[in-house]
Coordinates of all heavy atoms in Angstrom, one line a residue:
Q1 N 103.6 93.4 99.5 CA 103.6 93.8 100.9 C 102.2 93.5 101.5 O 101.3 93.3 100.8 CB 104.0 95.3 101.1 CG 105.4 95.6 100.6 CD 105.7 97.1 100.6 OE1 104.8 97.8 101.0 NE2 106.9 97.4 100.2
L2 N 102.2 93.5 102.8 CA 100.9 93.2 103.5 C 99.9 94.4 103.2 O 100.3 95.5 103.0 CB 101.1 93.0 105.0 CG 102.0 91.8 105.3 CD1 102.2 91.8 106.8 CD2 101.4 90.5 104.9
P3 N 98.6 94.1 103.2 CA 97.6 95.2 102.9 C 97.7 96.3 103.9 O 97.9 96.0 105.1 CB 96.3 94.5 102.9 CG 96.5 93.1 103.3 CD 98.0 92.8 103.4
V4 N 97.4 97.5 103.4 CA 97.5 98.7 104.3 C 96.1 99.3 104.5 O 95.9 100.2 105.3 CB 98.4 99.7 103.7 CG1 98.6 100.9 104.6 CG2 99.8 99.1 103.4
R5 N 95.1 98.8 103.8 CA 93.7 99.4 103.9 C 93.2 99.3 105.3 O 93.4 98.4 106.1 CB 92.8 98.5 103.0 CG 91.4 99.1 102.9 CD 90.7 98.3 101.8 NE 90.8 96.8 102.0 CZ 89.8 96.1 102.5 NH1 88.7 96.6 102.9 NH2 90.0 94.8 102.6
V6 N 92.5 100.4 105.7 CA 92.0 100.5 107.1 C 90.6 100.0 107.1 O 89.7 100.6 106.4 CB 92.0 102.0 107.6 CG1 91.4 102.1 108.9 CG2 93.5 102.5 107.5
P7 N 90.3 98.9 107.7 CA 88.9 98.3 107.7 C 88.0 99.1 108.6 O 88.5 99.8 109.6 CB 89.1 96.9 108.2 CG 90.4 97.0 109.0 CD 91.2 98.0 108.4
T8 N 86.7 99.1 108.3 CA 85.8 99.9 109.1 C 84.8 99.0 110.0 O 84.3 99.5 111.0 CB 84.9 100.7 108.2 OG1 84.3 99.9 107.2 CG2 85.7 101.8 107.5
D9 N 84.6 97.8 109.6 CA 83.7 97.0 110.4 C 84.4 95.6 110.7 O 85.5 95.3 110.2 CB 82.4 96.7 109.8 CG 82.5 96.1 108.4 OD1 83.6 95.9 107.9 OD2 81.5 95.6 107.8
M10 N 83.8 94.8 111.6 CA 84.4 93.6 112.0 C 84.6 92.6 110.9 O 85.5 91.9 110.8 CB 83.5 92.9 113.1 CG 83.6 93.7 114.5 SD 85.3 93.9 115.1 CE 85.7 92.2 115.6
R11 N 83.6 92.6 110.0 CA 83.7 91.7 108.8 C 84.9 92.0 108.0 O 85.7 91.2 107.6 CB 82.4 91.8 108.0 CG 82.3 90.8 106.9 CD 81.0 90.9 106.2 NE 80.8 89.8 105.3 CZ 79.8 89.7 104.5 NH1 78.8 90.6 104.5 NH2 79.6 88.7 103.7
A12 N 85.1 93.3 107.7 CA 86.3 93.8 106.9 C 87.6 93.5 107.7 O 88.6 93.1 107.1 CB 86.2 95.2 106.6
I13 N 87.6 93.7 109.0 CA 88.8 93.4 109.8 C 89.1 91.9 109.7 O 90.2 91.5 109.5 CB 88.5 93.8 111.3 CG1 88.5 95.3 111.4 CG2 89.6 93.2 112.2 CD1 88.1 95.8 112.8
N14 N 88.1 91.0 109.8 CA 88.3 89.6 109.7 C 88.8 89.2 108.3 O 89.8 88.4 108.2 CB 86.9 88.9 109.9 CG 86.9 88.1 111.2 OD1 87.9 88.0 111.9 ND2 85.8 87.5 111.5
E15 N 88.3 89.8 107.3 CA 88.8 89.5 105.9 C 90.2 89.9 105.8 O 91.0 89.2 105.2 CB 87.9 90.2 104.9 CG 86.5 89.6 104.7 CD 86.6 88.1 104.3 OE1 87.5 87.8 103.4 OE2 85.9 87.3 104.8
D16 N 90.6 91.1 106.3 CA 91.9 91.6 106.2 C 92.9 90.6 107.0 O 94.0 90.3 106.5 CB 92.1 93.0 106.8 CG 91.6 94.0 105.8 OD1 91.3 93.7 104.6 OD2 91.5 95.2 106.2
L17 N 92.5 90.2 108.2 CA 93.3 89.3 108.9 C 93.5 88.0 108.2 O 94.5 87.4 108.3 CB 92.7 89.1 110.3 CG 92.8 90.4 111.2 CD1 92.1 90.1 112.6 CD2 94.3 90.8 111.5
K18 N 92.4 87.5 107.6 CA 92.5 86.2 106.9 C 93.4 86.4 105.7 O 94.2 85.5 105.4 CB 91.1 85.8 106.4 CG 90.2 85.3 107.5 CD 88.8 84.9 106.9 CE 87.9 84.4 108.0 NZ 86.5 84.1 107.5
Q19 N 93.4 87.5 105.0 CA 94.3 87.7 103.9 C 95.7 87.8 104.3 O 96.6 87.2 103.7 CB 93.9 89.0 103.1 CG 94.8 89.4 102.0 CD 94.8 88.3 100.9 OE1 93.7 87.7 100.6 NE2 95.9 88.1 100.3
I20 N 95.9 88.5 105.4 CA 97.3 88.6 106.0 C 97.8 87.2 106.4 O 98.9 86.9 106.1 CB 97.3 89.6 107.2 CG1 97.1 91.0 106.7 CG2 98.6 89.5 108.0 CD1 96.9 92.0 107.9
N21 N 96.9 86.4 107.0 CA 97.3 85.1 107.4 C 97.6 84.2 106.2 O 98.6 83.5 106.2 CB 96.1 84.4 108.2 CG 96.6 83.2 109.0 OD1 97.7 83.0 109.2 ND2 95.6 82.4 109.3
R22 N 96.8 84.3 105.1 CA 97.1 83.6 103.9 C 98.5 84.0 103.3 O 99.3 83.1 102.9 CB 96.0 83.7 102.9 CG 94.8 83.0 103.1 CD 93.8 83.0 101.9 NE 93.3 84.3 101.7 CZ 92.2 84.8 102.2 NH1 91.5 84.0 103.0 NH2 91.8 86.0 101.9
T23 N 98.7 85.3 103.3 CA 100.0 85.8 102.8 C 101.2 85.2 103.6 O 102.2 84.8 103.1 CB 100.0 87.3 102.8 OG1 98.9 87.8 102.0 CG2 101.3 87.8 102.2
L24 N 101.0 85.3 104.9 CA 102.1 84.8 105.8 C 102.3 83.3 105.7 O 103.4 82.9 105.7 CB 101.8 85.2 107.2 CG 101.9 86.7 107.5 CD1 101.4 87.0 109.0 CD2 103.3 87.3 107.3
E25 N 101.2 82.6 105.6 CA 101.3 81.1 105.4 C 102.1 80.8 104.1 O 102.9 79.9 104.0 CB 100.0 80.5 105.4 CG 99.4 80.4 106.8 CD 97.9 79.8 106.8 OE1 97.3 79.7 105.7 OE2 97.4 79.5 107.9
Q26 N 101.7 81.5 103.0 CA 102.4 81.3 101.7 C 103.9 81.6 101.9 O 104.8 80.9 101.4 CB 101.8 82.2 100.6 CG 102.4 82.0 99.3 CD 102.2 80.6 98.8 OE1 101.3 79.9 99.1 NE2 103.1 80.1 98.0
R27 N 104.2 82.7 102.5 CA 105.6 83.1 102.7 C 106.4 82.0 103.5 O 107.5 81.7 103.3 CB 105.8 84.5 103.4 CG 105.4 85.6 102.5 CD 105.5 86.9 103.2 NE 105.1 88.0 102.4 CZ 105.0 89.3 102.8 NH1 105.4 89.6 104.0 NH2 104.6 90.2 102.0
L28 N 105.7 81.5 104.5 CA 106.3 80.5 105.4 C 106.6 79.2 104.6 O 107.6 78.6 104.7 CB 105.3 80.1 106.5 CG 105.8 79.0 107.5 CD1 107.1 79.4 108.2 CD2 104.8 78.7 108.5
K29 N 105.6 78.8 103.7 CA 105.8 77.6 102.9 C 107.0 77.8 101.9 O 107.9 76.9 101.8 CB 104.6 77.4 102.0 CG 103.5 76.8 102.8 CD 102.3 76.5 101.8 CE 101.1 76.0 102.6 NZ 99.9 75.8 101.7
V30 N 107.1 79.0 101.4 CA 108.3 79.3 100.5 C 109.6 79.3 101.3 O 110.6 78.7 100.8 CB 108.1 80.7 99.8 CG1 109.4 81.1 99.1 CG2 106.9 80.6 98.8
S31 N 109.6 79.9 102.4 CA 110.9 79.9 103.2 C 111.2 78.5 103.7 O 112.4 78.1 103.7 CB 110.8 80.9 104.4 OG 109.9 80.4 105.4
L32 N 110.3 77.7 104.1 CA 110.6 76.3 104.5 C 111.1 75.5 103.3 O 112.0 74.7 103.4 CB 109.3 75.6 105.1 CG 108.9 76.1 106.5 CD1 107.6 75.5 106.9 CD2 110.0 75.9 107.5
S33 N 110.5 75.7 102.1 CA 111.0 75.0 100.9 C 112.5 75.5 100.6 O 113.3 74.6 100.3 CB 110.1 75.4 99.8 OG 110.6 74.8 98.6
E34 N 112.7 76.7 100.7 CA 114.1 77.2 100.5 C 115.1 76.7 101.5 O 116.2 76.3 101.2 CB 114.1 78.8 100.5 CG 113.4 79.4 99.3 CD 113.3 80.9 99.4 OE1 113.6 81.4 100.5 OE2 112.9 81.5 98.4
Q35 N 114.6 76.6 102.8 CA 115.5 76.0 103.8 C 115.8 74.6 103.5 O 116.9 74.1 103.7 CB 114.8 76.2 105.2 CG 114.9 77.6 105.7 CD 114.2 77.6 107.1 OE1 113.6 76.7 107.6 NE2 114.2 78.8 107.7
A36 N 114.8 73.8 103.1 CA 115.0 72.4 102.8 C 116.0 72.2 101.7 O 116.8 71.3 101.7 CB 113.7 71.7 102.5
A37 N 115.8 73.1 100.6 CA 116.8 73.0 99.5 C 118.2 73.3 100.0 O 119.2 72.7 99.5 CB 116.3 74.0 98.4
M38 N 118.3 74.3 100.8 CA 119.7 74.7 101.3 C 120.3 73.6 102.2 O 121.5 73.3 102.1 CB 119.6 76.0 102.2 CG 119.4 77.2 101.4 SD 120.8 77.5 100.3 CE 120.6 79.2 100.0
L39 N 119.4 72.9 103.0 CA 119.9 71.8 103.8 C 120.4 70.7 103.0 O 121.5 70.1 103.2 CB 118.8 71.4 104.8 CG 119.2 70.2 105.7 CD1 120.3 70.6 106.6 CD2 118.0 69.8 106.5
K40 N 119.6 70.4 101.9 CA 120.0 69.3 101.0 C 121.3 69.6 100.3 O 122.2 68.8 100.2 CB 118.9 69.1 100.0 CG 119.1 67.8 99.2 CD 117.9 67.6 98.3 CE 118.1 66.3 97.5 NZ 116.9 66.0 96.7
R41 N 121.5 70.9 99.9 CA 122.7 71.3 99.3 C 123.9 71.2 100.2 O 125.0 70.8 99.9 CB 122.5 72.7 98.8 CG 123.8 73.3 98.2 CD 124.0 72.9 96.8 NE 125.2 73.6 96.2 CZ 126.2 73.0 95.6 NH1 126.2 71.7 95.4 NH2 127.2 73.7 95.1

């Protein structure tokens, strides 16, 4: 699941947002790959 930690400064907020973005991008890649496999099937 996405991180739940409460950041205290802008640097921590940025790091959390970057981590969330990386997680979402990875999930998007996986879902697009699954969609392509389903379409081919």
